[in-house]
Amino acid sequence: MLDRYRARALELGLDWGDETPDCDRRLLPFVRHADPGRVAELTARPNLARIGRPVETGGADEIALLVALLSLPDPLDGLIRALPASLAPGLVITRTGGVEVGHPLPFAVGGTKVPCTILGPAEGSVPAQLSTAFVTAGSPDLSVDGHSVRVVEPVAAGKLQLISDAPSRWSVVDERGGGWYPEHALPKRDIRGRPFFHGNELVLDVPAGRVTVRVARGCEFLEADVVVDVAPDQTVQVELAPERLYDGAAQGWYGADLHVHMNYGGLVCSPAQACSMQQGEGLHLMSLVAGNQATALIYDREAFESSAGQDLPRALTGDSVARFGVEYRNDLLGHFGAFGATSPPVRYQTGHPRSENVDDWPPNSVAAEEFRDAGATVHYTHPMFAPMSPDGSPDRVFADVRPDWLPDLTGTEFAPEARELVADAALGLVDSVDIVGVGNREGTEALYHRLLSCGLRLAATAGTDSFLSQPSGPPPGWARAYADLRGAELSVAGWQEAQRAGRTFGTTGPWLEFGVAGRGLGETVETATATCLPIRAKVVGHAVRQLEVVGPDGVLASVAVGPDQREAMLEAVVDARESLWLAAVARGDDRADGLGQTYAHTSPIWVAVGGLPVTRPTDATWCLDWLDRFEAMIRRRGTFSDPKQLADLVDVIDRARAFYAAIVERGRA
């Protein structure tokens, strides 16, 4: 499988999946060099939306920059015109009158290959040729448009030996901003452009001079850094460990990222490299999902089918657990993850025009039931890509036009919102909702609360949608869900049991604890009559500013957290006059790595007053409105080769309607 991927990468470049002929993904590695203000001027779109993945260029958003460039009649020419007058190091461009090279020149040592981005001369109707060239200290010149230009500065080399108390994420940057990697490491950069790699007791070549070394290890730790001077031919040993904020495993809680793509175009990532990233992030459990993007190619399908139901070898994962799963994708109905499936599915996707299954059929519910039969838990991932409308309605979810902040990378005209989630949850086919990860947090939280208020016992989980093979992007586990395994050893089965029981919380960093009258997450407090219940919430972490307890009617109690506080407690009393759910939420500042706000949300604790379930007619009416909009959209935009296919999906909606209508009727009674 990996050899085939590498051969395709050599032939097709970063987009070796050949996914998007209508969207030139070759632009992605280069938009970092663009000036966001100039792009906004070129596209007459001054307020480029942010969706949680900003880069260093003025804090603009890499995807938004790409979308803005693609809105131009000539995207490549737009990129050239959007470049600043002073080119960045490592950038070579043909302008009128000759070739320009970014300064200062990147350092080059020995045989280490240094990448240079080239925007070459126009050929015919193509305004520019985009490519990446690799040069070494021994061959520091490139031939561009007939000109021989020096693109790197050869310097003497030294070595770094990096040692920590456990596998970690490292970043090594020279005085000119160049990134350095050990041999065989994937040359990855995070969304702020910082280079990173994972491991421990690593040795790498660096240019002689001053070098900055950073070390990190996921949610449970703070970053640490040090500046060292390296002399020529000298090996400098750097022992550095990140400061621990909390230890989930020591308390019997294990963090999982349920949505990680090992390969999805870009570079080619092996299981060993994926597991090295997992260990370096201190991530206890990782689900590497097989899935397509826009064609019939199911990335990592062979890896999943050859190991379904089995953990990756401990020789690769160490004390962690990793397993292949599936992201089942339909852009009209929504995407969901199948975690822990023990056998391959009948199909991996529906509804993509360039795939094997072009129809929006069968309903997601059919696939969810099949995965459930194969032992998987089902979690809807990145449920919302926009907040609700100001009046609280889901107008934006059912818009016919793709939002201008979301790139068309799959050939569809709308965002892949979790539209069928509201139906599938009512039918009992969903175990959890990825409350943290990519997408819009405000919209996801609002939808999740509506479903909880209809008594649907959905756990809060996390899926980052991290692409390990992409040169640019966050590491796995930057968000994760912790599950209480009740003293059991870490295992997929044990984590699934906690997921089904609701003993989880999702987080981008903070640690949350929550209890109601002595009960924990997923449990039920039973009381014969209305009563006052003591609640207690605790948060541990960095950059938290507010700790809340929320329920069907919004925030019930809150406490502010000071900028220097790493821990806060909230104790209060809730007046439970009718059955309700309660959850703890932590909110905070933007993360330093650019991955959105500091945030955590628990699964609920349920309160049953007089033996009655949680059934709020107002929220059920909202869900009925959602289903009406959903049916109208599939009738308007769905692809069906047979009228019976549409009827099958409408039947799913009708069965869900019956569930919510019953709540409304009970409210009237």
Side-chain angles (χ1 to χ4, degrees), residues 174-531:
D174 64 37
E175 296 176 57
R176 295 185 177 176
W180 297 86
Y181 303 84
E183 192 176 0
H184 307 307
L186 292 180
K188 290 181 65 68
R189 287 181 176 266
D190 65 19
I191 58 175
R192 290 203 179 277
R194 298 187 302 182
F196 71 88
F197 53 88
H198 295 82
N200 198 12
E201 299 186 11
L202 303 167
V203 177
L204 64 154
D205 291 331
V206 295
R210 185 152 291 183
V211 179
T212 300
V213 179
R214 290 185 178 86
V215 67
R217 199 180 302 148
C219 292
E220 299 187 3
F221 298 83
L222 293 174
E223 285 189 3
D225 60 73
V226 65
V227 177
V228 296
D229 291 310
V230 182
D233 301 320
Q234 177 190 24
T235 297
V236 176
Q237 187 179 92
V238 176
E239 294 191 37
L240 195 61
E243 179 186 353
R244 182 181 282 278
L245 289 168
Y246 57 85
D247 189 345
Q251 302 180 61
W253 292 71
Y254 294 90
D257 186 343
L258 300 183
H259 188 175
V260 179
H261 292 274
M262 186 173 78
N263 286 294
Y264 216 58
L267 308 169
V268 177
C269 183
S270 69
Q273 290 168 322
C275 292
S276 176
M277 295 184 205
Q278 178 188 9
Q279 292 181 62
E281 295 299 323
L283 179 62
H284 306 123
L285 191 152
M286 179 172 67
S287 181
L288 295 166
V289 294
N292 81 318
Q293 183 173 326
T295 71
L297 173 61
I298 309 297
Y299 294 93
D300 296 331
R301 177 175 184 164
E302 297 91 335
F304 166 65
E305 293 186 353
S306 65
S307 64
Q310 303 173 30
D311 296 340
L312 271 67
R314 286 298 178 104
L316 299 179
T317 61
D319 294 332
S320 303
V321 172
R323 186 178 290 191
F324 280 96
V326 174
E327 180 189 10
Y328 186 86
R329 303 176 74 256
N330 179 290
D331 295 339
L332 179 65
L333 310 180
H335 301 179
F336 69 80
F339 172 53
T342 58
S343 60
V346 176
R347 66 197 69 76
Y348 287 83
Q349 53 74 222
T350 58
H352 297 107
R354 299 170 59 210
S355 71
E356 293 179 340
N357 304 299
V358 300
D359 293 323
D360 294 307
W361 182 91
N364 278 7
S365 61
V366 173
E369 195 164 9
E370 291 170 352
F371 278 116
R372 283 280 199 81
D373 291 342
T377 46
V378 170
H379 59 103
Y380 263 86
T381 192
H382 49 65
M384 297 284 289
F385 282 90
M388 299 298 174
S389 297
D391 63 357
S393 71
D395 288 343
R396 295 165 177 166
V397 178
F398 298 99
D400 277 340
V401 179
R402 173 178 289 273
D404 60 11
W405 44 262
L406 187 68
D408 181 3
L409 297 179
T410 61
T412 59
E413 298 178 6
F414 33 77
E417 315 266 8
R419 297 181 180 90
E420 199 181 315
L421 166 60
V422 173
D424 292 347
L427 300 181
L429 297 172
V430 183
D431 297 287
S432 66
V433 173
D434 287 349
I435 191 71
V436 292
V438 294
N440 182 270
R441 192 162 298 144
E442 179 185 350
T444 297
E445 183 178 310
L447 174 58
Y448 184 54
H449 289 182
R450 293 283 189 179
L451 297 174
L452 296 180
S453 295
C454 292
L456 295 167
R457 298 204 168 206
L458 302 168
T461 47
T464 63
D465 207 1
S466 292
F467 306 136
L468 306 189
S469 64
Q470 291 291 337
S472 176
W478 63 263
R480 59 191 72 179
Y482 281 88
D484 179 8
L485 269 56
R486 297 286 174 91
E489 291 186 3
L490 174 62
S491 68
V492 169
W495 212 98
Q496 286 180 301
E497 180 184 349
Q499 179 186 7
R500 294 184 184 105
R503 300 194 303 269
T504 64
F505 69 89
T507 182
T508 66
W511 171 266
L512 271 182
E513 297 176 9
F514 183 49
V516 177
R519 297 290 186 178
L521 301 184
E523 296 181 336
T524 301
V525 177
E526 297 183 357
T527 175
T529 59
T531 187

Side-chain angles (χ1 to χ4, degrees), residues 548-626:
E548 302 172 349
V549 173
V550 299
D553 299 314
V555 178
L556 302 177
S558 67
V559 63
V561 183
D564 298 324
Q565 283 183 261
R566 291 190 182 178
E567 182 174 319
M569 189 84 70
L570 169 61
E571 293 182 319
V573 174
V574 169
D575 187 4
R577 299 187 179 186
E578 58 181 318
S579 297
L580 74 161
W581 58 268
L582 298 167
V585 182
R587 309 183 194 276
D589 296 337
D590 286 345
R591 290 165 49 125
D593 56 12
L595 287 165
Q597 285 187 321
T598 300
Y599 178 78
H601 194 303
T602 69
S603 295
I605 297 173
W606 301 89
V607 178
V609 178
L612 296 176
V614 177
T615 53
R616 295 295 177 100
T618 300
D619 296 286
T621 300
W622 187 92
C623 290
L624 286 169
D625 174 62
W626 175 292

